[in-house]
Amino acid sequence: MSFLDQLNPQQREAVETTAGPVLILAGAGSGKTRVITFRIAHLIENLGVMPEAILAMTFTNKAAAEMAERVDKLVGGLSIAKPVISTFHSFCVRVLRRDIEALRIPSTVPGQPPIGHTKNFVIYDEGDQQSVLKSIMKRLGVDDKQLTPRIVLSRISWAKNHMLGPQELYLQSADPKTEKVAHLFEEYRKELRRANALDFDDLLLESVRLLKTSAPVREYYNRRFQYLLIDEYQDTNRPQYQLMRLLVGDRHNVCAVGDEDQSIYSWRGADIRNILEFEQDFPEAKIIRLEQNYRSTQNILQGASAVVANNIRRKGKNLWTARQGGARIGFYEAPDGENEALFVADSIARYVREALDRSEDPRAAVLYRTNSQSRLFEEAMRRYGLKYHVVGGFSFYERSEIKDMISYLKVIQNPDDSISLLRVVNTPARGIGKSTIEILERLALETGLSLWGSIAEAIRRELLPPRALSSLKSFRQLIEDARAMQSGRFAEQMEASAEDKPEPHISASSQPAAHDEPVSNETSFDPNEFGNFSFDFGAAAENPQESHGDGLPQPTNEAGTSNLDKVVPGDNARGPVLPSTADILKFLIDRTGYIKLLEEEDTPEAYSRIENLRELVNAAMDSRDRGETLDAFLDHAALISDADDYDERAQVTLMSLHAAKGLEFPLVFLSGLEEGLFPHSRTLLQPDDIEEERRLCYVGMTRAMDQLILTRAVYRRRYGTDMPEASVPSRFLEEVPVGLIEELGNTRSRAATSTSRTAARTSSAYGESTHYSYEDEDQSSSWQEGSRGDGRKRQPGGPKTRTPSPSTPYNSIDNIAQFFASRGKKFTVSRPPVEEPSGKRGFRPGQKVRHPKYGEGTVYQREGEGEEAKITVQFPRFGLKKLVEKYAQLERA
DNA sequence: CCCTGGTCCCAACTT
DNA sequence: GGGACCAGGG
């Protein structure tokens, strides 16, 4: 029996139509990933295609990794060679690292090196881009208020996504503002070229340019890749589209998979025309529709379809499911954002417990339009002792100590990277201050050198006071020593490759990088050339609340102390040692005294930073074990994305709607359904933007397998301290057919809020009968205890459950229980017992405690009396925190 | 030169 | 709620 028998007829057709262009219109939940992976497996297994001749493009590393894993399972280690499954951006980086120098042009000045990027280019992230623009705008005296670096950057990015250069932008500019942007764009480009840096958009654009202009390069890839697959085709932009055309060549073996109803990235340049006009691009194209949804119940699917049916720009489709009926779509209207979050947490706590009792999938997702909404949900999850995982937000790489070290590495890879150099030249402080920097920058401007070049020049010509000069000398020595470590590695490679000609470079900073052979005339391909990234990085440091699935303790690098011994200097145990990225990092940390200074600081924050640095060194060691060089390590760090840290083992996942694309959960909450929030206020004016918001809503709703609950807050605070504002229900709520909706929650309170909103806010009816309130401290802390106690051994109906009387302030919970009960899931309305207050009160200095967010810590001091007492606790990872005992859910550890 | 504390202004999605 | 920026003291 063939594995193809597992597919439905349409899926099977999609898998077996391997010659020529194919467009697969795959509705939500219709087995898109399955089709792609089976198609790859079919090519390899049944048609004998060489794995390395297959290229599949995805949007996130996570999706690529998952796809690779699934293909691996199907093909079962038939061959060491693997198909290339990669994100567009990662793929482009590999292409450019290999051949970008084919784009260089000879200098007009004889004897000068060619102009253009070299293969040791660095990647600039958004922060780097902003720094570049900021300094340009300062230099040119551009008014910061009308035109912020942020705005300019987004306009530049817009231009790039539409494949416009500064000149084109200038020519079609109709206003002085755009003219200015065009000018800044030009300067920005110069600056990046000088720094030998590329931004994210450039990765795509330069790859396109490379394939367009260099026939040998193009032919190399055309020969190598015979089959091309593109996931999420509806979200490709023009450069990606062109890249596809160039890679496909005239063979036209391309398979694009997408769903126009899930196009949610137009603001990033995604061009919905790409999918709508596929048939024009490839007249011989075969179109296959996958319309059977295997994920959701009929109610959910109907609701979602009804919403998206309000869009005009779509092909239209008929999604159906065999899962007739199902739970109705819940709707809960909360008085405010806090209550909304508590409602969600309460429902999830209940759901998780129940699902575990029945050995069902206990995962739930909370989706929101804006990341800032996550805070309230996080607090609520902690209240309920739920293990949750937040996707996105502040990542490991955004921490300052990590950025510092990464910047050092970038400078070592490419000293002309002036942005990174500026970041580290005085980090830690070594007496190179503002005035010194200003002189260097002026010198750079006069001479056309990079900052790195200017440092040498300033030292040579003794243009600075002796003090500054000696500081600069020691900095330069540091970088050069580190670079020398690097070149040991390169020297060896150079021996291997024959006719290599190290070229002089403007500031003598170009690495004597080993050239691959010229691009043409290769007959065999290195299967590892496009090796996929792996993603075991940073997660542990990020969120101590992170779940590990079944609630059982897992062998993780918790709190990191176990990693300590891995980082001791002189870790040469793993065989003949060439200097690796890890070695360089250790060298840097040692020479700069970075950790030593942190230790001297002797604050808990400092120790947490040290911990992060160790984590970074560990990551570098893993990178070394994978055989990666410095640039691969840095590429990885630059291209890892928020969506990549989604952990499918977490019971509760909090994330933006965008990040949820491609995922599915038994229970989904779609929150903040308010005009101005979702749809977002910045989209209300253009009809096209509203359609995209609606697609986003569709994406969110179709993530749900069994249960979908929509929520909204009547009052919402926009900023931390401002007065809450009354909201208008989202239009999307009205677009869901009434018959599919089940209202949840306390109707009385809702009536009160809608009839007299301001009165309700202050009246006791509002304040006290609010079902979920942060002020009700007994309730929440006892819930906390209860669910934590249940965490490992879940005892259904044990002593920890009781049914509240109808008079408890939990009206709405009764209602939810009924709601769940009505769909055949029996939910006991449970409420953990109220604990004796004396049992856990009164922490004393020296005592070990556990905090839901900060983990274990030691009480440092106690101020005040009773439950008003403030206790200061030292947490190894988070430092000293002053907590009001009444509110902090501290436990004895 | 470096650190601190106050103030301003912001907050859409993300490779 | 918080990050970026600036003024002023050590």
Side-chain angles (χ1 to χ4, degrees):
Chain A
M1 179 185 115
S2 162
F3 59 87
L4 296 179
D5 294 340
Q6 299 169 40
L7 302 169
N8 73 28
Q10 292 76 32
Q11 290 175 333
R12 185 155 182 163
E13 189 186 9
V15 165
E16 289 184 323
T17 311
T18 53
V22 183
L23 175 64
I24 301 171
L25 293 170
S30 63
K32 178 172 60 95
T33 310
R34 193 178 171 86
V35 164
I36 297 177
T37 51
F38 274 61
R39 187 180 168 94
I40 295 172
H42 174 64
L43 285 168
I44 297 171
E45 195 117 305
N46 301 342
L47 303 185
V49 174
M50 304 236 296
E52 60 269 39
I54 301 169
L55 171 62
M57 300 279 211
T58 63
F59 272 77
T60 64
N61 294 299
K62 192 89 192 173
E66 195 199 326
M67 221 171 262
E69 197 190 315
R70 284 169 70 167
V71 169
D72 226 37
K73 268 194 198 132
L74 285 172
V75 183
L78 262 188
S79 144
I80 322 160
K82 305 262 184 247
V84 177
I85 304 178
S86 167
T87 65
F88 276 101
H89 287 84
S90 307
F91 176 80
C92 288
V93 169
R94 309 299 170 98
V95 169
L96 294 173
R97 288 253 178 258
R98 182 190 167 90
D99 286 326
I100 194 171
E101 292 181 9
L103 286 172
R104 300 175 94 191
I105 49 171
S107 171
T108 45
V109 185
Q112 284 296 303
I115 298 166
H117 289 91
T118 62
K119 36 179 86 179
N120 60 324
F121 64 86
V122 292
I123 301 169
Y124 272 6
D125 66 19
E126 206 180 315
D128 299 328
Q129 293 176 281
Q130 292 219 27
S131 306
V132 170
L133 270 173
K134 214 177 281 173
S135 85
I136 291 173
M137 290 168 75
K138 201 168 145 196
R139 174 158 53 87
L140 300 180
V142 177
D143 178 9
D144 249 29
K145 290 188 188 87
Q146 274 285 315
L147 223 48
T148 64
R150 226 186 119 85
I151 291 170
V152 177
L153 200 55
S154 78
R155 308 252 316 230
I156 290 177
S157 181
W158 181 91
K160 286 184 169 185
N161 283 323
H162 292 79
M163 309 204 81
L164 299 173
Q167 295 87 351
E168 287 107 319
L169 187 64
Y170 183 83
L171 288 176
Q172 46 161 264
S173 64
D175 57 318
K177 204 166 156 184
T178 308
E179 272 176 35
K180 223 174 237 171
V181 170
H183 182 208
L184 291 169
F185 187 3
E186 178 71 51
E187 290 300 309
Y188 170 84
R189 252 193 2 185
K190 276 190 205 154
E191 202 60 44
L192 260 67
R193 212 175 300 138
R194 189 171 329 171
N196 196 15
L198 298 173
D199 64 26
F200 284 139
D201 298 322
D202 291 336
L203 296 177
L204 299 172
L205 287 172
E206 291 298 282
S207 298
V208 167
R209 199 160 72 87
L210 176 62
L211 290 174
K212 256 188 196 157
T213 55
S214 168
V217 174
R218 188 174 59 247
E219 281 157 18
Y220 168 79
Y221 286 107
N222 284 341
R223 254 201 326 281
R224 164 149 190 183
F225 295 117
Q226 293 160 30
Y227 292 91
L228 187 60
L229 294 95
I230 300 178
D231 192 16
E232 309 281 11
Y233 190 63
Q234 75 283 352
D235 282 327
T236 50
N237 60 20
R238 275 288 125 169
Q240 285 163 334
Y241 168 81
Q242 295 209 355
L243 188 72
M244 179 271 282
R245 297 298 307 238
L246 287 160
L247 287 170
V248 161
D250 40 24
R251 204 184 284 115
H252 287 192
N253 277 339
V254 60
C255 170
V257 186
D259 175 5
E260 84 275 12
D261 287 334
Q262 294 188 63
S263 168
I264 53 175
Y265 283 105
S266 71
W267 49 273
R268 203 170 75 189
D271 193 340
I272 201 166
R273 277 183 306 163
N274 292 350
I275 192 166
L276 295 177
E277 294 172 7
F278 188 86
E279 298 152 82
Q280 273 126 280
D281 293 329
F282 299 102
E284 78 274 35
K286 178 137 194 176
I287 314 288
I288 296 167
R289 286 166 186 273
L290 305 181
E291 296 191 314
Q292 180 175 3
N293 172 299
Y294 291 94
R295 178 184 297 150
S296 311
T297 64
Q298 189 188 25
N299 278 344
I300 292 169
L301 202 57
Q302 266 182 14
S305 302
V307 170
V308 81
N310 290 287
N311 275 357
I312 294 162
R313 282 189 78 186
R314 61 191 292 253
K315 293 194 171 196
K317 67 166 79 65
N318 247 328
L319 221 48
W320 63 279
T321 174
R323 300 187 61 194
Q324 294 300 308
R328 279 197 280 165
I329 297 170
F331 172 58
Y332 178 73
E333 186 168 73
D336 54 31
E338 283 83 0
N339 179 285
E340 179 189 44
L342 287 167
F343 167 83
V344 168
D346 187 277
S347 309
I348 292 178
R350 194 169 301 278
Y351 172 80
V352 165
R353 223 171 305 143
E354 194 70 16
L356 286 174
D357 286 347
R358 305 167 142 264
S359 311
E360 287 170 7
D361 185 356
R363 293 173 312 120
V366 183
L367 308 181
Y368 34 76
R369 181 63 176 81
T370 66
N371 277 314
S372 58
Q373 287 167 260
S374 74
R375 208 192 93 250
L376 289 175
F377 288 110
E378 288 183 63
E379 278 170 25
M381 297 302 151
R382 287 202 287 275
R383 289 251 146 175
Y384 278 81
L386 285 164
K387 296 180 181 172
Y388 63 91
H389 184 216
V390 187
V391 175
F394 237 63
S395 87
F396 184 73
Y397 294 96
E398 285 169 89
R399 292 161 201 254
S400 64
E401 62 277 13
I402 301 303
K403 273 184 138 180
D404 287 344
M405 281 303 141
I406 295 278
S407 293
Y408 266 112
L409 292 178
K410 281 163 97 174
V411 170
I412 286 159
Q413 186 194 0
N414 167 23
D416 292 331
D417 174 359
S418 298
I419 296 294
S420 298
L421 189 131
L422 274 178
R423 186 179 176 101
V424 300
V425 71
N426 199 34
T427 314
R430 53 172 75 84
I432 301 174
K434 214 166 129 190
S435 48
T436 305
I437 300 287
E438 265 169 28
I439 289 170
L440 287 174
E441 282 182 325
R442 217 175 318 133
L443 186 61
L445 217 56
E446 282 167 16
T447 56
L449 295 170
S450 67
L451 274 181
W452 174 251
S454 306
I455 290 177
E457 190 67 2
I459 291 172
R460 193 175 63 79
R461 284 160 54 187
E462 297 193 356
L463 296 173
L464 287 160
R467 229 213 188 115
L469 276 181
S470 92
S471 298
L472 281 177
K473 276 183 197 162
S474 80
F475 172 72
R476 188 171 69 150
Q477 197 57 49
L478 168 72
I479 300 298
E480 279 184 341
D481 288 349
R483 284 171 60 75
M485 285 177 75
Q486 261 289 87
S487 52
R489 188 162 258 258
F490 281 113
E492 190 184 82
Q493 287 185 5
M494 277 169 65
E495 267 175 74
S497 82
E499 23 45 309
D500 197 37
K501 22 155 204 248
E503 283 145 332
H505 192 250
I506 298 176
S507 55
S509 65
S510 169
Q511 302 236 4
H515 265 277
D516 293 321
E517 289 97 273
V519 286
S520 54
N521 298 329
E522 284 179 52
T523 47
S524 68
F525 304 102
D526 173 8
N528 287 323
E529 184 180 343
F530 292 90
N532 296 312
F533 292 147
S534 65
F535 296 93
D536 46 359
F537 184 19
E542 226 160 275
N543 192 340
Q545 285 283 323
E546 176 182 58
S547 159
H548 291 286
D550 50 15
L552 295 169
Q554 299 268 334
T556 63
N557 279 338
E558 193 95 6
T561 32
S562 57
N563 299 333
L564 264 168
D565 21 4
K566 282 170 88 176
V567 192
V568 289
D571 168 36
N572 289 349
R574 306 193 195 209
V577 180
L578 293 168
S580 68
T581 307
D583 294 322
I584 296 168
L585 267 176
K586 283 189 256 181
F587 167 81
L588 283 170
I589 289 170
D590 186 45
R591 270 279 286 271
T592 59
Y594 204 106
I595 283 188
K596 224 171 92 197
L597 285 165
L598 285 171
E599 274 167 359
E600 278 162 23
E601 224 176 87
D602 195 30
T603 62
E605 286 85 0
Y607 289 112
S608 133
R609 289 169 166 220
I610 292 173
E611 217 42 70
N612 288 331
L613 288 170
R614 302 211 146 106
E615 200 63 39
L616 182 70
V617 176
N618 285 341
M621 291 203 278
D622 292 343
S623 165
R624 174 190 63 190
D625 293 346
R626 291 193 296 267
E628 290 176 5
T629 52
L630 175 60
D631 52 11
F633 180 75
L634 288 173
D635 291 346
H636 181 174
L639 294 175
I640 197 160
S641 74
D642 283 347
D644 293 331
D645 70 5
Y646 167 63
D647 181 349
E648 62 273 359
R649 296 166 304 178
Q651 281 171 3
V652 185
T653 304
L654 274 45
M655 64 186 147
S656 71
L657 283 155
H658 284 87
K661 194 170 73 162
L663 306 176
E664 61 180 23
F665 302 88
L667 173 61
V668 168
F669 290 84
L670 199 50
S671 66
L673 278 152
E674 297 137 42
E675 286 288 299
L677 186 57
F678 188 34
H680 196 268
S681 53
R682 309 252 286 236
T683 67
L684 296 178
L685 296 178
Q686 279 103 350
D688 281 2
D689 288 352
I690 285 287
E691 292 214 344
E692 180 147 320
E693 293 289 292
R694 194 173 277 116
R695 289 192 292 268
L696 197 53
C697 185
Y698 176 76
V699 166
M701 291 174 82
T702 51
R703 299 309 97 198
M705 298 157 74
D706 306 328
Q707 287 170 2
L708 170 65
I709 296 174
L710 313 173
T711 65
R712 151 196 189 224
V714 174
Y715 283 88
R716 187 173 294 276
R717 250 184 265 271
R718 282 185 68 198
Y719 301 114
T721 48
D722 280 353
M723 278 293 287
E725 292 170 24
S727 75
V728 176
S730 168
R731 67 193 69 190
F732 303 144
L733 284 170
E734 285 157 31
E735 294 173 3
V736 181
V738 177
L740 296 177
I741 290 193
E742 168 146 2
E743 301 224 3
L744 311 172
N746 182 339
T747 44
R748 183 168 60 94
S749 119
R750 195 161 63 253
T753 55
S754 52
T755 48
S756 91
R757 286 181 163 147
T758 12
R761 274 201 51 72
T762 45
S763 79
S764 62
Y766 178 91
E768 283 171 27
S769 75
T770 298
H771 349 295
Y772 311 94
S773 156
Y774 280 128
E775 272 67 57
D776 195 342
E777 171 245 334
D778 266 344
Q779 245 177 344
S780 43
S781 60
S782 56
W783 269 99
Q784 171 90 33
E785 293 293 312
S787 41
R788 170 138 335 120
D790 276 356
R792 290 190 181 163
K793 273 188 209 153
R794 318 238 163 204
Q795 297 165 330
K800 299 205 165 177
T801 30
R802 73 180 178 90
T803 309
S805 68
S807 62
T808 59
Y810 277 84
N811 301 350
S812 62
I813 292 190
D814 294 342
N815 216 318
I816 301 164
Q818 287 163 13
F819 167 69
F820 285 131
S822 72
R823 35 221 46 115
K825 302 222 170 200
K826 278 183 208 136
F827 272 79
T828 40
V829 179
S830 63
R831 210 183 147 190
V834 177
E835 196 183 305
E836 291 290 307
S838 58
K840 58 180 270 217
R841 298 295 181 213
F843 295 110
R844 299 178 188 290
Q847 221 172 350
K848 295 261 192 226
V849 293
R850 182 180 298 115
H851 185 274
K853 178 178 178 189
Y854 303 119
E856 282 196 13
T858 311
V859 177
Y860 184 69
Q861 66 170 11
R862 179 190 179 89
E863 300 160 75
E865 287 298 320
E867 53 176 42
E868 292 293 338
K870 293 186 182 105
I871 27 186
T872 312
V873 185
Q874 168 164 350
F875 297 101
R877 297 179 73 82
F878 295 88
L880 283 181
K881 300 279 175 190
K882 200 176 242 185
L883 307 161
V884 180
E885 192 173 270
K886 185 164 76 162
Y887 297 115
Q889 305 109 52
L890 287 172
E891 261 190 324
R892 277 215 184 95

